[in-house]
Amino acid sequence: MMFMLRGIALTLLLVATTLCGSSLQAKSQSQSKGRVLVVLSSANELTLRDGQKYPTGFYLNEFAVPVKALVQAGYEPVFADPKGDVVKWDAHSASPRYFGGSEKALQDTIQFVEGLDSLKHPRSLASVNAEGIDGYIGIVIPGGHAPLEDLMTDPDLGKILRTFHSAGKTTALICHGPVALVSSLPDANGFHDALMTGNMNDIRQLAAGWPYAGYRMTVFSIPEEHFAETHQLNGQVFFYPATALTDAGATVETAKAWTPNVVTDRELITAQQPFSDKEFSAALIKALDNQKKPQDVPSLK
């Protein structure tokens, strides 16, 4: 008899636990205002003009500040990169200078990023493409030099961006991140190669059909890149992001070096460099809050 009572009690406990877990999961899902795709580079090195390799990754504050803003505003970030592998931040970005000079703010940010369990298990861009973007309300691409190495020519990202563009969904990129928009060209690899060689005839021809032609945007400026080449990279990049986007057909608007600058044009939000992180995040949340929810956007399938 005692054994039967214990069995019944255990069964009731399991049922109650299951119902409680389901309730919490449903509550969590109901509280989410939508999923936002956060795309990172899989590259951990940037090839310089002299053949040297610069160790890189995503810029810590350009990633953490908007992601924290997303979470606090009730959105669910979903992390992805070309390979679907664990990525890291650029060591140069782990500096108090990007956090108002505060070592505590830097350490708090590192703790926040290291506590993002889903960042340890990112999706591949191919899997995102296979699923479709109907379930996402926006996309965010942080900078660091890494996007120059892979994101600007990634075919899966190009398809994702074209679909986001067609749907008019919020597309936000900061610092070197905007160069990833080049991936949406019909022949992004050819355009990249033409930039490497400086062949203007090929550049003009390959720029045809870019979805973002005529858009106003900003990106890491040429004076800022000159400073980075001297004081950080110890070498020269093959081409400048501002030149690449201008050649693709954008109207690039850069402000004085190292001053916050955010440009919004239609669904596109771009920011110039790390010191634009707070203004960038505010513009991102405002755009998402004013946008239709995923279920309100017609399916593209």
Side-chain angles (χ1 to χ4, degrees):
M1 183 69 175
M2 183 64 69
F3 178 79
M4 290 179 61
L5 289 174
R6 287 178 178 174
I8 293 172
L10 179 60
T11 300
L12 291 173
L13 178 61
L14 288 172
V15 170
T17 302
T18 302
L19 290 174
C20 181
S22 299
S23 175
L24 288 172
Q25 183 177 6
K27 182 179 180 181
S28 175
Q29 291 174 346
S30 67
Q31 287 179 337
S32 174
K33 292 161 69 174
R35 294 195 299 168
V36 176
L37 185 65
V38 180
V39 175
L40 299 165
S41 168
S42 292
N44 52 32
E45 289 182 330
L46 173 69
T47 304
L48 300 173
R49 187 175 287 276
D50 62 1
Q52 295 296 311
K53 303 286 187 179
Y54 166 72
T56 188
F58 64 85
Y59 243 56
L60 189 59
N61 70 309
E62 295 172 15
F63 167 83
V65 174
V67 167
K68 184 177 287 187
L70 287 171
V71 173
Q72 291 175 340
Y75 295 98
E76 177 191 353
V78 177
F79 306 111
D81 58 77
K83 295 180 180 179
D85 55 0
V86 179
V87 297
K88 60 183 181 181
W89 60 74
D90 188 313
H92 288 86
S93 68
S95 169
R97 73 170 65 95
Y98 301 113
F99 300 90
S102 170
E103 179 66 30
K104 182 181 186 303
L106 167 62
Q107 295 305 320
D108 288 347
T109 299
I110 290 175
Q111 185 176 7
F112 169 75
V113 173
E114 290 180 340
L116 293 169
D117 290 336
S118 55
L119 184 60
K120 302 168 186 175
H121 308 282
R123 301 192 58 176
S124 69
L125 293 179
S127 72
V128 173
N129 256 326
E131 176 192 53
I133 63 105
D134 286 350
Y136 296 95
I137 193 172
I139 182 171
V140 177
I141 303 181
H145 283 83
L148 287 166
E149 195 73 20
D150 62 352
L151 291 188
M152 68 181 297
T153 57
D154 188 271
D156 287 303
L157 179 58
K159 182 178 179 181
I160 289 168
L161 286 171
R162 288 192 297 271
T163 310
F164 267 85
H165 170 74
S166 297
K169 294 188 177 185
T170 299
T171 303
L173 314 93
I174 180 171
C175 198
H176 288 78
V179 80
L181 295 170
V182 169
S183 67
S184 62
L185 280 166
D187 184 2
N189 277 293
F191 183 79
H192 178 270
D193 291 345
L195 289 172
M196 298 277 280
T197 61
N199 189 320
M200 286 307 302
N201 288 330
D202 288 347
I203 288 172
R204 293 189 186 98
Q205 292 178 7
L206 291 164
W210 192 41
Y212 300 98
Y215 271 66
R216 295 168 47 248
M217 63 184 73
T218 192
V219 70
F220 201 63
S221 71
I222 293 176
E224 288 163 340
E225 196 71 83
H226 283 162
F227 182 89
E229 287 175 328
T230 302
H231 300 280
Q232 182 174 331
L233 305 180
N234 294 318
Q236 291 183 318
V237 296
F238 280 94
F239 53 83
Y240 299 114
T243 301
L245 293 175
T246 299
D247 289 344
T251 299
V252 176
E253 301 176 356
T254 54
K256 182 180 178 181
W258 315 120
T259 59
N261 182 32
V262 176
V263 176
T264 299
D265 188 354
R266 288 158 277 186
E267 84 280 7
L268 186 66
I269 302 168
T270 52
Q272 185 169 322
Q273 22 66 2
F275 301 105
S276 307
D277 56 357
K278 293 180 177 61
E279 292 83 355
F280 173 72
S281 301
L284 167 65
I285 300 305
K286 180 180 178 181
L288 292 173
D289 286 347
N290 290 334
Q291 184 177 282
K292 292 181 180 180
K293 295 180 181 179
Q295 60 265 30
D296 297 328
V297 178
S299 172
L300 300 179
K301 294 181 180 179

